[in-house]
Amino acid sequence: MAVVWITREIAAPAERAWDELVDVRRWPAWGPTVAGARLDTPDPASGAVAVAHRISAGATGQVRAVVGPWVPFAVTGFEEGRWWAWRVAGVPATSHRVERLGDRRCRVGFEVPTWAAPYAAVCAVALRRIDRAATSP
């Protein structure tokens, strides 16, 4: 699948940027189109749904856009500390990357399918917000 990449270098450790990307409680703070997100994380021992806030490989949940209902999502690819991708309402969506550039610098990026290329402008706003959050004390 052809994609459009949008990236930003950030003067913060890669771990700080990664935390922004994987904690669903933070998504509304940096995602201009995200009003909320929640995970469906079963407890492996009992199968009961437990409260969780960080996505991981195979995670599922719901996300709500600023306008619209809650829709399901599924994490379709995941490499801890570096990369994750998802499907939203069954449709391939953005992937998210963090690249370490040193102890206190990283590059954060979004991969947008070409059919959704105009969404790259929204991603640019998100990257500025992630930068602000990751570099604030």
Side-chain angles (χ1 to χ4, degrees):
M1 169 174 45
V3 297
V4 174
W5 273 104
I6 181 158
T7 64
R8 182 178 180 102
E9 286 191 22
I10 296 176
E15 296 79 14
R16 297 253 340 241
W18 181 251
D19 287 344
E20 291 294 319
L21 293 177
V22 298
D23 186 337
V24 299
R25 298 171 299 180
R26 299 289 306 140
W27 293 359
W30 57 260
T33 60
V34 177
R38 57 189 180 210
L39 289 174
D40 304 321
T41 307
D43 179 307
S46 68
V49 174
V51 175
H53 304 290
R54 294 175 65 87
I55 63 163
S56 58
T60 61
Q62 298 88 43
V63 63
R64 185 167 50 91
V66 174
V67 176
W70 289 93
V71 295
F73 74 79
V75 174
T76 57
F78 189 88
E79 184 180 343
E80 179 62 44
R82 297 187 47 126
W83 171 81
W84 69 271
W86 64 339
R87 294 177 73 86
V88 178
V91 177
T94 52
S95 67
H96 312 70
R97 291 188 189 268
V98 175
E99 177 185 356
R100 180 181 306 278
L101 299 176
D103 289 342
R104 305 205 42 81
R105 287 199 74 72
C106 64
R107 179 178 295 115
V108 180
F110 294 103
E111 178 183 75
V112 179
T114 53
W115 59 264
Y119 193 69
V122 174
C123 292
V125 172
L127 288 170
R128 285 194 302 272
R129 291 177 178 179
I130 290 167
D131 186 341
R132 196 173 318 125
T135 57
S136 65

